Amino acid sequence: MVFPGPVTTFSLPYLVAQKKGWLGDLEVEDIFVTGDANAMRTVLSGNADIGLIGTLNVLASIHAGANIRAIHSWQPIGDYSLVIAKSKGDKLADLAGKIFASSGPGALPDQLPRMVMRKYGIDESTARFVQVGGHAARLQAVIGGRADATLVNTVTALKGVHDGKVTILTRLSKEFPGLGYVWNVVRTESLAKPEFVAAFQTMTDIGIRGSRFIMENPDEAAAILHERLPDLDLAFLKNVVRDLNSENLWGIDGGLDPKIEEFTADLNVKLGNLPRAATPAEVLDPRFVDAALKKFGPSKK
């Protein structure tokens, strides 16, 4: 399985499942690359069988002819915050002319700041984007002066605020409610192979179980995250997980809501990122989610 950056909160349901032993006999090798585009290339080349990839890159890849489908999501709604260095401003208008730290062209940290700027009539052509890497690396680029602003997840943004280094200008869940975050995608050819089908079902099952566990046991989930991010204080991570839970962004029912796909595709067409809005049927394959929900039942939201 390929991830578009180092371990962070979007894989917490998976980390919980690993800790609890829910993968059973399934062995998963984790591959970490920089950015959604590289993660997608890893899946399409066959060097990974499944990838956690940002929704915009998935939609753009399908439009370009990639034979892939999203089969579930551990975190369908994003927890991104747009942050700026304390010395560089404190309001959205201050984003004009700034240097943004990104994970790479076409990835959400590259596209979403542009979307916010367009929404507020800020000239995005005045902005410059530098490829840095994952969430922690992007925050460090802002703190170190290599960039002025960036888009990072909640755990990273709150760390920067806690240290007095950045200001949160807005949350993307506020600017674009219903905007999809990440899907776990596979090559369509893999869906016909029994050895993959069983593995994909397990990965879907553990995502739902892990998501529900986080909602019901936030402090224990934070402790599991702390094992992978030991440099962050446990009390801080408990606050982060509770903050994430309050946004209802985990894939407690599999994360394949067609409305999220429709909103995400339509918004990106309106903003000029995509020429056409793909339908849910072109993007989502719910067979594994449907099978999991027959076993576990719908969540008690």
Side-chain angles (χ1 to χ4, degrees):
M1 179 165 188
V2 63
F3 296 86
V7 169
T8 188
T9 46
F10 56 37
S11 52
L12 184 52
Y14 176 55
L15 303 181
V16 167
Q18 287 180 318
K19 181 70 174 180
K20 296 293 183 180
W22 294 340
L23 276 76
D25 295 332
L26 179 62
E27 295 183 13
V28 182
E29 177 189 355
D30 297 341
I31 302 171
F32 300 96
V33 298
T34 299
D36 293 320
N38 287 326
M40 181 62 77
R41 277 192 283 270
T42 305
V43 171
L44 294 177
S45 68
N47 289 315
D49 304 305
I50 185 170
L52 186 152
I53 302 174
T55 54
L56 175 55
N57 186 277
V58 175
L59 293 169
S61 297
I62 288 174
H63 176 76
N67 292 315
I68 52 173
R69 288 294 183 273
I71 61 169
H72 61 257
S73 176
W74 298 332
Q75 192 180 331
I77 298 295
D79 65 327
Y80 271 129
S81 294
L82 187 53
V83 304
I84 190 169
K86 279 274 191 180
S87 60
K88 298 295 183 175
D90 58 8
K91 57 187 180 298
L92 287 167
D94 294 326
L95 294 174
K98 296 299 188 290
I99 300 172
F100 289 79
S102 169
S103 60
L108 292 175
D110 180 81
Q111 294 296 321
L112 291 178
R114 302 178 198 268
M115 291 165 64
V116 172
M117 294 175 78
R118 286 177 214 165
K119 178 180 177 180
Y120 287 95
I122 302 166
D123 185 1
E124 66 178 286
S125 68
T126 65
R128 188 158 63 87
F129 289 77
V130 294
Q131 184 171 340
V132 174
H135 296 268
R138 297 198 298 275
L139 178 66
Q140 193 54 50
V142 172
I143 293 172
R146 183 180 172 192
D148 305 314
T150 190
L151 196 73
V152 289
N153 59 12
T154 297
V155 63
T156 311
L158 293 181
K159 181 67 167 62
V161 171
H162 180 267
D163 293 344
K165 301 297 185 180
V166 300
T167 297
I168 295 176
L169 296 179
T170 188
R171 291 192 178 202
L172 270 292
S173 59
K174 172 186 170 230
E175 298 298 336
F176 303 110
L179 180 68
Y181 184 35
V182 293
W183 287 312
N184 283 356
V185 302
V186 303
R187 297 183 303 280
T188 51
E189 66 187 49
S190 301
L191 294 169
K193 298 179 179 179
E195 66 272 24
F196 284 122
V197 169
F200 296 158
Q201 189 64 61
T202 296
M203 296 296 276
T204 304
D205 291 355
I206 61 101
I208 292 174
R209 293 180 68 187
S211 295
R212 295 180 183 185
F213 182 91
I214 295 166
M215 292 293 289
E216 295 166 3
N217 306 277
D219 289 352
E220 187 176 347
I224 292 171
L225 183 60
H226 182 59
E227 292 178 8
R228 302 296 294 269
L229 301 174
D231 292 342
L232 297 178
D233 182 71
L234 177 57
F236 170 75
L237 288 177
K238 287 180 179 180
N239 289 332
V240 167
V241 172
R242 290 181 179 277
D243 184 281
L244 296 177
N245 285 359
S246 72
E247 293 193 68
N248 296 310
L249 46 73
W250 304 111
I252 54 176
D253 282 323
L256 286 192
D257 186 347
K259 292 179 181 178
I260 292 175
E261 188 281 335
E262 290 172 344
F263 180 90
T264 303
D266 289 342
L267 177 64
N268 278 288
V269 169
K270 290 175 183 174
L271 293 173
N273 294 324
L274 294 170
R276 183 182 73 83
T279 66
E282 294 175 276
V283 180
L284 311 177
D285 190 321
R287 71 181 78 177
F288 303 105
V289 168
D290 291 344
L293 293 178
K294 284 182 180 178
K295 284 187 282 188
F296 304 134
S299 63
K300 299 179 178 65
K301 296 182 181 178

